[in-house]
């Protein structure tokens, strides 16, 4: 049905079996992506963002990883019930992926143009000449100068920003309904970052795509998001319309992240403490060891449920429950709305990460680029 979300994720659990124990990288994450909208999955490095994105099309390598529970429905179809052949059609077909490291996404021994041709012909029965013409057109659309000539160039002959554009062209080769973009501007300078974001917005409108953007950068979120899902240690802390979340941040973690933005009056050296162990997370709210507002109820049981603040704004915090007092959190107005959606305030990865902690994402606090 047209009013159903394109992507629906419910109670997603993804685990990794390691010598140190079971890593609960994603532990009960739920969100939707509607048709034509941009949803940003945001949190500091190690929060489970990348693993969530890879789980959507079951890209998590097994062993050691496994999607251990929950539901993933794409366009009404159960992804967890798909055969290997159906998954191959989904990956790179209906769902395109842009990975963190464009260098890792491109094969160094093949010209970039032929890699796009291969992506097209893997999903569509078209002559090689037609696929080549489409690949050149895509390279043109993503801003590769002299695309016809550069079709036969190799990845090492492109700059970082140009390689990212090639990776975007590959992800768009089959006109996907959903684009999963994992830190597409990481390790690029600010000018190139802005160019890539503008390009994604233009291509989203042209191809009528939905976008799930995975990022640690709240400035990017403010610039492009329709809705936001804030994750921490594999759990959803807050989710909602971008204006609601920026104007009325309700979870202490969201407020702490926003205080790290320039103009919010907070420290730029990060949030005190570190992410909890992914093999032995604390009871209660995952954020309580770092939270200034933690009470006894935060330290027992499981992660608090998501309490509805409005039709499209939920928060996982006991202070919003039947026995809580939201003013305990909201009384600190230092996370006010000095920077809001569209203002483009920038926060780097190290601006809100404490001292690192365990990293189930494969991300690093200094802007690591592992695919």
């Amino acid at each position: 049905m047209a009013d159903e979300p394109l992507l629906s994720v419910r109670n997603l659990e993804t685990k990794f079996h390691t010598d140190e124990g079971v890593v609960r990288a994603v532990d009960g994450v739920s969100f939707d992506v509607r048709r034509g909208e941009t949803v940003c999955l945001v949190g500091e490095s190690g929060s489970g963002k990348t693993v969530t994105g890879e789980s959507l099309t079951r890209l998590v390598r097994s062993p050691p990883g496994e999607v251990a529970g929950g539901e993933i429905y794409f366009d009404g179809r159960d992804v967890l019930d798909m055969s290997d052949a159906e998954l191959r059609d989904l990956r790179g077909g209906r769902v395109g992926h842009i990975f963190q490291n464009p260098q890792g996404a491109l094969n160094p021994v093949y010209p970039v143009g032929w890699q796009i041709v291969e992506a097209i012909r893997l999903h569509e029965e078209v002559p090689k000449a037609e696929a080549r013409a489409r690949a050149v057109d895509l390279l043109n659309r993503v801003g590769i100068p002299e695309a016809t000539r550069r079709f036969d160039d190799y990845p090492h002959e492109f700059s970082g920003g140009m390689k990212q554009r090639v990776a975007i062209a590959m992800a768009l080769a089959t006109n996907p309904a959903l684009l999963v973009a994992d830190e597409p501007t990481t390790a690029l300078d600010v000018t190139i970052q802005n160019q890539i974001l503008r390009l994604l917005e233009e291509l989203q409108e042209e191809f009528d795509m939905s976008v799930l953007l995975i990022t640690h950068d709240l400035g990017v979120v403010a610039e492009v998001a329709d809705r936001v899902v804030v994750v921490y240690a594999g759990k959803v802390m807050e989710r909602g319309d971008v204006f609601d979340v920026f104007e009325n941040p309700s979870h202490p973690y969201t407020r702490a992240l926003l205080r790290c933005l320039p103009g919010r009056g907070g420290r730029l050296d990060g949030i005190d403490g570190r992410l909890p162990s992914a093999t032995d997370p604390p009871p209660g709210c995952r954020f309580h060891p770092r939270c200034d507002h933690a009470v006894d109820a935060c330290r027992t049981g499981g992660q608090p449920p998501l309490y509805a603040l409005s039709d499209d704004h939920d928060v996982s915090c006991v202070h919003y429950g039947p026995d809580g007092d939201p003013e305990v959190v909201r009384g600190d107005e230092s996370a006010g709305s000095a920077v809001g959606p569209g203002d483009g305030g920038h926060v780097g990865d190290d601006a809100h990460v404490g001292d690192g902690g365990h990293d189930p994402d494969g991300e690093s606090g200094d802007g690591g680029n592992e695919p």
Side-chain angles (χ1 to χ4, degrees):
M1 294 178 62
D3 58 346
E4 291 182 349
L6 178 66
L7 175 71
S8 180
V9 178
R10 293 291 176 271
N11 300 314
L12 178 64
E13 296 182 10
T14 304
K15 302 177 180 179
F16 293 86
H17 300 274
T18 72
D19 292 341
E20 290 74 31
V22 176
V23 174
R24 299 172 179 86
V26 181
D27 197 6
V29 166
S30 299
F31 62 92
D32 292 333
V33 180
R34 301 164 187 158
R35 299 173 194 273
E37 76 169 349
T38 297
V39 174
C40 283
L41 199 62
V42 64
E44 62 192 285
S45 294
S47 295
K49 308 184 302 297
T50 290
V51 176
T52 298
E54 292 177 347
S55 299
L56 300 179
T57 54
R58 290 165 55 187
L59 283 172
V60 175
R61 186 173 299 173
S62 178
E66 63 167 332
V67 179
E71 299 177 347
I72 305 170
Y73 280 86
F74 178 79
D75 205 8
R77 299 180 61 196
D78 185 353
V79 175
L80 298 184
D81 195 42
M82 287 184 177
S83 66
D84 289 344
E86 290 172 322
L87 283 172
R88 283 193 295 270
D89 288 339
L90 181 70
R91 300 166 181 158
R94 298 296 312 285
V95 180
H97 283 269
I98 303 173
F99 298 101
Q100 286 187 42
N101 180 6
Q103 183 65 51
L106 299 174
N107 191 320
V109 300
Y110 288 99
V112 298
W114 289 112
Q115 294 186 53
I116 300 173
V117 167
E118 182 181 38
I120 293 170
R121 300 189 75 203
L122 183 65
H123 295 279
E124 301 177 37
E125 294 184 4
V126 296
K128 188 177 292 185
E130 179 182 335
R132 179 186 175 113
R134 284 173 55 180
V136 170
D137 180 58
L138 279 167
L139 289 172
N140 268 315
R141 291 189 185 193
V142 299
I144 300 295
E146 302 180 79
T148 301
R149 181 181 66 80
R150 304 221 64 184
F151 179 94
D152 292 309
D153 286 350
Y154 290 84
H156 72 269
E157 298 178 272
F158 290 79
S159 67
M162 289 294 109
K163 281 197 283 278
Q164 189 64 285
R165 290 170 185 266
V166 172
I168 292 171
M170 287 184 64
L172 297 176
T174 56
N175 192 13
L178 173 67
L179 181 66
V180 180
D182 187 359
E183 302 279 12
T185 60
T186 293
L188 302 178
D189 66 54
V190 174
T191 301
I192 301 300
Q193 285 183 25
N194 289 333
Q195 291 177 4
I196 295 296
L197 290 175
R198 297 289 75 74
L199 173 63
L200 287 175
E201 286 186 310
E202 292 169 6
L203 294 173
Q204 179 181 16
E205 183 174 354
E206 179 179 349
F207 287 89
D208 192 28
M209 291 184 304
S210 301
V211 175
L212 177 64
L213 180 64
I214 297 168
T215 183
H216 62 264
D217 191 332
L218 287 168
V220 170
V221 175
E223 192 82 10
V224 304
D226 295 306
R227 290 189 300 119
V228 184
V229 182
V230 180
V231 293
Y232 178 81
K235 296 284 191 181
V236 174
M237 300 290 112
E238 187 167 355
R239 65 188 181 198
D241 178 271
V242 65
F243 286 97
D244 288 341
V245 172
F246 270 76
E247 296 298 323
N248 183 27
S250 298
H251 196 280
Y253 180 58
T254 309
R255 297 175 70 83
L257 290 181
L258 287 169
R259 280 197 299 270
C260 294
L261 278 168
R264 295 272 177 159
R267 304 183 318 276
L268 293 181
D269 57 351
I271 304 170
D272 290 339
R274 59 185 296 165
L275 282 160
S277 166
T279 58
D280 186 25
C285 177
R286 293 283 167 88
F287 186 61
H288 86 254
R290 302 170 74 182
C291 182
D292 294 334
H293 308 293
V295 295
D296 288 344
C298 303
R299 302 181 178 96
T300 59
Q303 183 68 32
L306 283 158
Y307 295 106
L309 305 183
S310 65
D311 289 342
D312 195 17
H313 190 187
D314 307 310
V315 60
S316 171
C317 178
V318 299
H319 295 299
Y320 297 86
D323 299 321
D325 178 8
E327 292 307 312
V328 171
V329 179
R330 291 175 176 167
D332 174 12
E333 291 304 323
S334 60
S337 55
V339 177
D343 291 336
H346 178 80
V347 55
D349 197 25
D350 58 352
H352 57 250
V353 178
D355 50 0
H358 183 83
D359 191 351
D361 265 346
E363 302 169 343
S364 65
D366 57 357
N369 276 331
E370 292 191 311

